[in-house]
Amino acid sequence: MNSCAAWAATPSTSTFSNASTPAREVNDLSLFVLTISAGIFLGVSVLLVYALFRYRARPGDTTEPPQVFGSLQIELAWTIIPILIIVMLFLGTARVLFSVQDARKPASAVDVTVVGHQFWWEFHYPQYNVVTANELHVPVSSTASPRPTFMKLTSADVIHSFWVPQLAGKTDLLPNRVNEMWIDPQSTGLYVGQCAQFCGMQHAKMLLRVYVDSPEEFQQWIARQQKAQTEISAGTQGAVSPTDQPP
Amino acid sequence: MRFPPPINPHDGRIVFEQQACINCHTVTGTVANGRFGPDLTHLMSRATLAAGATPNTPENLRVWIDDPNIFKPGSLMPAMHLTGRQNDQITAYLLTLK
């Protein structure tokens, strides 16, 4: 295939290579949780190995070790410290949940309705009266001029899941239900993903491409998509004469 | 000696609109207004075919129309069992949907 070179240069699908606020917040949270968990694991492991080594049975030592029956300090410590850790994890998680799920939609946001099908994606842009498929175009969003894309997701048949790892977590597309998510990619380019919920025989080839365009490119793309095909054919092709247009 | 007339997109459009294509596909501004399959109004503005299954090249497009199961076994788009010439014509038409 002649386009193999371009085809092979696939963008990252790593969840650790974030390009959008929801993905970054979830990634930061998971690193925070991982750090705390790793700290606990290391602390417990070191103490365990120390105790095993320090208090191992030595040849000739037949004395009974000290028998401890209850200790208020120790019991308080191993109750209160885990509670503090849990509270910390809970607050961190709740903060990310609310900041991602309850994010206020700015007036500049682009609305997209995503409809999952076996085995392709339908994208509607209600503000622009544009319908397209499989390749989503969104404008780049910066802190100076935020322009996030807010999506409503539903399905025409079975359950699908929208997942572009660099941009946000997965969101399921369910028949007869509308889920919501948003992305605010901060650099232009191509981001790829795929359906993340087994949806039938061709699930593995239900791929997703998100093009993050500069504001000008996005405007041009929208303008192009808004044109009905007859306007283009009549103007440039010459193959379809105006008299052929349906009434 | 007579040669068949050259393939042209206008004939492709007629084949497209006379076959079952328009039951599932929309091309805005024409009679094609099906909703089961992807909107093809600006097919050529997309880099891939069949939800990213293969790059959108004229050759791949023709293979896809001839038998969608080659790139995507289990695809819900049926092979329409058209003649080679009809496939060429439809391909020529779709290539104009920029």
Side-chain angles (χ1 to χ4, degrees), chain A residues 119 135 202 205 229-230 240, chain B residues 13 28-29 41 48 72-73:
Chain A
F119 303 93
E135 298 182 6
Q202 262 311 317
K205 285 198 177 165
Q229 200 43 250
T230 43
V240 182
Chain B
R13 176 172 169 183
T28 313
T41 311
T48 62
K72 213 170 169 180

Side-chain angles (χ1 to χ4, degrees), chain A residues 102-140:
Chain A
D102 295 349
R104 206 177 50 81
K105 183 165 98 172
S108 59
V110 174
D111 287 320
V112 175
T113 304
V114 182
V115 185
H117 293 262
Q118 288 172 314
F119 303 93
W120 58 282
W121 308 90
E122 183 179 353
F123 301 119
H124 294 255
Y125 295 72
Q127 292 151 320
Y128 303 105
N129 199 20
V130 161
V131 181
T132 185
N134 301 327
E135 298 182 6
L136 181 67
H137 283 251
V138 300
V140 71

Side-chain angles (χ1 to χ4, degrees), chain A residues 73-84:
Chain A
Q73 285 96 329
I74 291 177
E75 283 172 16
L76 276 178
W78 75 41
T79 306
I80 290 171
I81 293 174
I83 287 177
L84 290 178

Side-chain angles (χ1 to χ4, degrees), chain A residues 187-210:
Chain A
S187 48
T188 57
L190 171 63
Y191 299 84
V192 297
Q194 70 182 89
C195 180
Q197 177 72 52
F198 181 74
C199 62
M201 190 166 167
Q202 262 311 317
H203 162 68
K205 285 198 177 165
M206 186 167 165
L207 308 179
L208 249 174
R209 297 164 82 80
V210 177

